[in-house]
Amino acid sequence: MKKLISTFAGLLIAGTLFAQSLTGYDIMKKADEVPSPKTSSSTATLTIHSKKGSDRIREVIMKSKDYGDVTKEVIVFTTPKDVAGTGYLMFEYAEDAKGNKKDSDNWLYMPAMKKTRRIASSGSESEGSFMGTDFTYQDMGDRSLNKYTYTLLGEASVDGVMCYKVECISKAHTEKDPRYITYISKSDYIMRKCEFYDRQNQLHRVLTCSDFTTISGYTTARKMKMENVQTGTWSLIETKNIVYNANDIDDSLFTVAALEKGRIR
């Protein structure tokens, strides 16, 4: 019995030491490797809250498909009439064997102008407001692990969930928000919260993920709120009608032609 107890105690200690040995990069790598569905289809309500207290409501359709080396995603606004048909197409490329990642390809279609334009995946344009929201174009895609350095700052509770608190600093130092602190759940490595700091190291924006549920085995946040603490504005995405791994998402939907012809419904 004594031998069994000592062995069990040793396993507990080993487990604790392993947990303590995780670095900030290890945690972010695990978060990046959380399984995701091959396809995703949903609708969402987007609320844009101004500093004067008024709200603008948008409805969107979102679809994505993972092709292995690239994930293609499209977002199309359906209401109100002044933005209906506006679409955003994004190709996010997977990392290669050396951990390098090709910059994403992004297109924005504006039906009022009947014109599609490329959106740069880096630089000032990528950091601009996405359709008048507090989200940026950069926020809509994935951030490459190799473009940041990581430091584990400790642990913190977010809505009762214990999280790793990881500081992420851009190696380029040229971004509008070159530093952010993200809160990654210890139980499933899903992000619960993220704080973005500007070049003066002042808190700029706070992203909060909530209303979590499990759909087809995937942990999903149905609400994502980005608050600009410097301006008092915020934007809320409330996702509905979520379907994962459906087989009826046509490859042709992830094209500029599909955006321009209004095929995505």
Side-chain angles (χ1 to χ4, degrees):
M1 178 63 74
K2 184 177 180 180
K3 175 70 173 178
L4 179 61
I5 292 174
S6 62
T7 301
F8 181 64
L11 288 172
L12 285 178
I13 293 171
T16 302
L17 291 174
F18 174 76
Q20 291 175 343
S21 69
L22 285 176
T23 66
Y25 176 83
D26 293 335
I27 294 164
M28 296 304 292
K29 181 69 171 175
K30 285 177 176 290
D32 189 60
E33 293 173 345
V34 170
S36 57
K38 292 298 181 183
T39 68
S40 174
S41 178
S42 63
T43 61
T45 298
L46 172 58
T47 303
I48 306 171
H49 183 79
S50 74
K51 58 185 177 182
K52 293 182 178 180
S54 61
D55 291 339
R56 288 179 290 156
I57 309 297
R58 307 280 187 258
E59 298 290 338
V60 302
I61 294 172
M62 301 186 291
K63 296 181 184 294
S64 70
K65 194 168 187 177
D66 184 355
Y67 291 85
D69 58 340
V70 60
T71 297
K72 300 181 180 181
E73 182 172 358
V74 65
I75 302 172
V76 176
F77 288 74
T78 57
T79 62
K81 187 178 294 186
D82 62 333
V83 296
T86 299
Y88 185 60
L89 176 64
M90 176 171 53
F91 290 4
E92 282 282 348
Y93 298 96
E95 290 186 350
D96 61 21
K98 296 182 179 180
N100 298 314
K101 183 174 181 291
K102 178 184 174 183
D103 288 342
S104 63
D105 288 317
N106 314 280
W107 298 266
L108 178 68
Y109 173 63
M110 306 289 287
M113 302 173 63
K114 296 183 179 180
K115 184 178 180 180
T116 300
R117 68 183 181 92
R118 293 288 294 264
I119 301 293
S121 59
S122 59
S124 59
E125 188 172 37
S126 70
E127 297 171 325
S129 168
F130 175 73
M131 293 300 295
T133 71
D134 295 290
F135 294 91
T136 67
Y137 287 100
Q138 187 179 47
D139 294 331
M140 307 309 291
D142 295 328
R143 296 171 186 260
S144 175
L145 282 174
N146 285 349
K147 291 185 177 181
Y148 295 82
T149 59
Y150 305 96
T151 303
L152 176 59
L153 300 180
E155 299 177 3
S157 176
V158 178
D159 291 333
V161 176
M162 286 306 300
C163 298
Y164 293 112
K165 184 177 179 181
V166 181
E167 177 186 58
C168 314
I169 299 178
S170 170
K171 292 179 180 178
H173 302 289
T174 56
E175 298 179 11
K176 186 182 295 183
D177 294 333
R179 171 177 175 260
Y180 66 93
I181 296 175
T182 185
Y183 296 77
I184 305 295
S185 169
K186 295 183 66 176
S187 61
D188 57 19
Y189 292 93
I190 301 292
M191 183 183 69
R192 257 54 180 188
K193 181 181 176 182
C194 195
E195 300 165 341
F196 297 89
Y197 291 79
D198 62 22
R199 291 177 184 173
Q200 288 71 47
N201 203 28
Q202 299 297 310
L203 181 61
H204 182 199
R205 299 179 300 149
V206 178
L207 172 65
T208 305
C209 303
S210 61
D211 194 14
F212 282 88
T213 189
T214 300
I215 301 173
S216 300
Y218 300 97
T219 301
T220 304
R222 288 179 291 194
K223 292 183 180 180
M224 299 182 69
K225 182 179 182 180
M226 183 71 83
E227 179 181 6
N228 187 322
V229 300
Q230 296 183 3
T231 64
T233 61
W234 53 260
S235 302
L236 173 66
I237 300 175
E238 299 176 271
T239 311
K240 303 165 288 185
N241 306 315
I242 303 169
V243 178
Y244 292 143
N245 293 329
N247 296 318
D248 59 348
I249 299 182
D250 197 298
D251 294 339
S252 65
L253 296 180
F254 303 102
T255 62
V256 171
L259 283 180
E260 295 176 342
K261 294 177 181 178
R263 290 189 52 217
I264 303 158
R265 303 181 187 279

